[in-house]
Amino acid sequence: MLKAVIIDSSAVARGLLQTVLQDGSYDVVGQAHTCASAAVLLLKHNPQLICIARDVLEADVKGAEEMRRNYPKSLMFMVSSEFDAATVQKAHAMGINGFIVKPFNADTVLKTIRNTVIAMVNRQRKALADAQAAQNPPAAPSAGDEA
């Protein structure tokens, strides 16, 4: 079961997202309203998923960047009711892996997380295969191999 931490200034939004995640078989190990208060939860639980609200992210960019540095294997999702191209681009540059739209639609939220996890696993497998191929390049056929 993947562990998740939810960071949102709205207690109502945290509660709703927690319900969606728990119903989808995720283990919500903590909730916080700021990056600073989330730091303790992240250290204690080392979650695979971090859901952070856009307002919290924008209020503490350095805290969010530190999270990304300290937990590079965690998938980070920005939670917001609106996404414009500039925000999405900036979020990707900060290391955000996916986007969860408010108000929450349980099926959409769970599908977004699932697809992001699958994409990450596929990227890791491809990187591993590429690294192995680079270490063991195929032997060049010799002149006697052709028939």
Side-chain angles (χ1 to χ4, degrees):
M1 183 180 295
L2 296 180
K3 295 182 288 187
V5 168
I6 300 169
I7 309 164
D8 197 316
S9 58
S10 167
V12 172
R14 289 193 311 265
L16 290 170
L17 185 54
Q18 176 171 343
T19 300
V20 169
L21 294 176
Q22 286 176 331
D23 289 350
S25 297
Y26 292 96
D27 183 16
V28 178
V29 294
Q31 296 182 17
H33 65 287
T34 65
C35 289
S37 60
V40 173
L41 294 171
L42 297 175
L43 183 62
K44 180 178 180 181
H45 299 288
N46 196 22
Q48 291 85 15
L49 305 174
I50 301 170
C51 302
I52 183 168
R54 178 180 174 178
D55 64 321
V56 175
L57 185 76
E58 291 175 346
D60 188 0
V61 172
K62 288 185 183 202
E65 288 172 343
E66 187 173 316
M67 262 186 247
R68 177 77 287 164
R69 255 191 326 277
N70 293 339
Y71 302 93
K73 293 182 180 181
S74 296
L75 294 175
M76 289 183 73
F77 293 88
M78 179 187 278
V79 181
S80 181
S81 60
E82 55 186 56
F83 294 100
D84 54 74
T87 300
V88 170
Q89 188 175 21
K90 185 176 176 183
H92 277 298
M94 290 179 66
I96 298 295
N97 302 99
F99 301 91
I100 297 174
V101 180
K102 289 180 184 178
F104 304 118
N105 174 306
D107 291 337
T108 303
V109 169
L110 297 174
K111 188 181 288 185
T112 297
I113 293 171
R114 180 178 176 274
N115 290 343
T116 304
V117 169
I118 289 170
M120 171 80 74
V121 168
N122 288 340
R123 277 194 302 274
Q124 288 175 343
R125 284 183 181 161
K126 183 179 181 330
L128 181 60
D130 291 347
Q132 288 174 343
Q135 288 179 348
N136 304 316
S142 62
D145 287 346
E146 295 189 24

